[in-house]
Amino acid sequence: MRDRYPACSINWLVVDRRAAMSSPARGETEAIHVLAVDDSSVDRAVIAGLLRSSKYRVTAVDSGKKALELLGMQEPNVNMIITDYWMPEMTGYELLKRVKESSKLREIPVVIMSSENVPNRINRCLEEGAEDFLLKPVRPSDVSRLSSWIR
């Protein structure tokens, strides 16, 4: 048995596997980059942790204003935005509207989260262009649905 599987080939497989897990192979795309926006540090940490455990790359900010600043950079390279609905300064709904009004950003899918189940608020967000509306606390099963919205 030992002759069939020499130690050097086992070591090579381990190294190769680690390399494949840490960075994309040539020709593959990078991890999906999600911009998570929530004014609550606890909720921001929860959603970022759930996304990272599902292999998303996450940038987390605490306001819609900071999200727009990041998105205004030359190459934001964001594949999706997930935002809380109710935040000071700028609501998630207002952020959604700004993204969908921008010719540069409108193709980025936006998902809204809220702890309040208010049907007219949910419908208004979906009509404005949100891909989904998640109720907090966000669960791993909610995160697994997100990949269907990536274009």
Side-chain angles (χ1 to χ4, degrees):
M1 192 78 144
R2 186 175 192 115
D3 293 329
R4 277 182 67 184
Y5 300 103
C8 62
S9 65
I10 292 173
N11 290 339
W12 178 81
L13 288 172
V14 171
V15 171
D16 186 48
R17 186 170 172 208
R18 283 187 198 141
M21 289 174 20
S22 64
S23 62
R26 186 172 284 198
E28 290 183 14
T29 58
E30 290 184 26
I32 294 169
H33 185 194
V34 178
L35 175 59
V37 187
D38 201 313
D39 62 312
S40 162
S41 60
V42 172
D43 288 344
R44 201 169 50 248
V46 167
I47 190 64
L50 284 170
L51 290 166
R52 286 183 181 120
S53 71
S54 294
K55 307 302 181 207
Y56 291 100
R57 186 165 63 99
V58 181
T59 300
V61 296
D62 63 1
S63 71
K65 182 178 176 184
K66 287 183 182 173
L68 286 176
E69 288 172 6
L70 178 80
L71 292 166
M73 294 170 45
Q74 192 164 344
E75 289 294 325
N77 196 24
V78 171
N79 303 103
M80 175 179 281
I81 301 166
I82 185 164
T83 181
D84 184 31
Y85 179 87
W86 196 247
M87 297 181 291
E89 267 185 53
M90 177 185 293
T91 66
Y93 177 73
E94 291 165 333
L95 175 61
L96 167 69
K97 285 180 63 169
R98 298 277 297 270
V99 167
K100 295 304 176 183
E101 289 169 356
S102 166
S103 60
K104 178 183 171 188
L105 305 174
R106 76 171 48 118
E107 296 303 316
I108 300 173
V110 179
V111 174
I112 308 285
M113 309 175 287
S114 180
S115 57
E116 301 172 354
N117 187 359
V118 180
N120 65 344
R121 183 182 296 165
I122 295 168
N123 289 335
R124 189 170 72 162
C125 289
L126 295 173
E127 288 169 2
E128 193 64 43
E131 268 64 38
D132 207 345
F133 195 105
L134 304 177
L135 291 175
K136 291 181 181 180
V138 176
R139 299 174 308 273
S141 60
D142 294 324
V143 172
S144 67
R145 293 190 344 224
L146 296 180
S147 63
S148 65
W149 300 118
I150 303 296
R151 297 186 179 114

